Amino acid sequence: MQKEFITINYRQTQKLGEFLAGELRGGEVVCLSGELGAGKTTFTQGLLRGLGVKGPYSSPTFVIMKEYQVKIPISKSKYPNKSQNSEFKIQNVFHIDAYRVRADDILGLGWKEIVENKNNVVIIEWAERVEKIVPKGSLWIKLEWQGDKERKIAFNSKYQINFKP
Ligand code: ADP
Ligand code: MG
């Protein structure tokens, strides 16, 4: 199933990322694809915030993979879906920008263990560049530039995103 959203400013794209966070349960690999400036990092910022990671969210420019701890107790979360689900257990969030990274370099970081751990969520920008190491069944989100402030954001997924800009 494909779900499409149009955002008309960067805040809406962040919000969409925040909304997605409310649907994740742990163990997901979130693959962001799209050209430079499409909004992958902007979306990631919202997703990190929604998952309860405290900023600042510096880009993983000097490391292949940036690891964050989820700091905000889920019971305090503003996402009703999350607090109802006692199985929610996301503890660590990993962020990769694969623009200049080789798939093999990621594999060398203990990739298999990271993606198999249900306490983790992994976010990959430029995921299409390292597609061969992306687990099957991952969530793919395609971001497209439509105009100065307009972006099309399409999910390939089962996730119900109750998003109204
Ligand atoms: P990427 O990581 O895909 O290269 P970024 O998120 O770093 O893209 O950059 C997107 C740029 O586009 C930012 O400067 C952001 O402010 C701007 N922008 C304008 N409108 C939007 C929108 N609707 N969604 C996301 N970013 C937008
Ligand atoms: Mg980016």
Side-chain angles (χ1 to χ4, degrees), residues 23-72:
E23 296 297 320
L24 302 181
R25 292 292 173 266
E28 290 89 356
V29 177
V30 180
C31 299
L32 303 174
S33 78
E35 296 301 316
L36 206 66
K40 301 180 295 297
T41 299
T42 303
F43 185 92
T44 299
Q45 288 165 351
L47 182 51
L48 287 169
R49 188 192 305 147
L51 285 168
V53 173
K54 283 211 173 135
Y57 316 122
S58 56
S59 257
T61 311
F62 301 108
V63 290
I64 295 176
M65 182 157 65
K66 195 135 201 263
E67 179 175 358
Y68 296 97
Q69 260 69 51
V70 173
K71 289 275 197 274
I72 302 167

Side-chain angles (χ1 to χ4, degrees), residues 17-25 47 50-51 79-82 88:
E18 269 193 63
F19 270 93
L20 173 65
E23 296 297 320
L24 302 181
R25 292 292 173 266
L47 182 51
L51 285 168
Y79 299 102
N81 285 353
K82 255 188 210 174
F88 183 83

Side-chain angles (χ1 to χ4, degrees), residues 8-28:
I8 57 163
N9 57 52
Y10 78 91
R11 274 174 248 93
Q12 287 190 350
T13 297
Q14 289 180 339
K15 263 274 175 308
L16 186 56
E18 269 193 63
F19 270 93
L20 173 65
E23 296 297 320
L24 302 181
R25 292 292 173 266
E28 290 89 356

Side-chain angles (χ1 to χ4, degrees), residues 31-35 40 98 124-132 134 140-141:
C31 299
L32 303 174
S33 78
E35 296 301 316
K40 301 180 295 297
I124 315 175
E125 293 188 47
W126 291 106
E128 65 272 41
R129 298 200 170 204
V130 292
E131 198 167 353
K132 67 173 183 178
V134 173
W140 281 85
I141 303 170

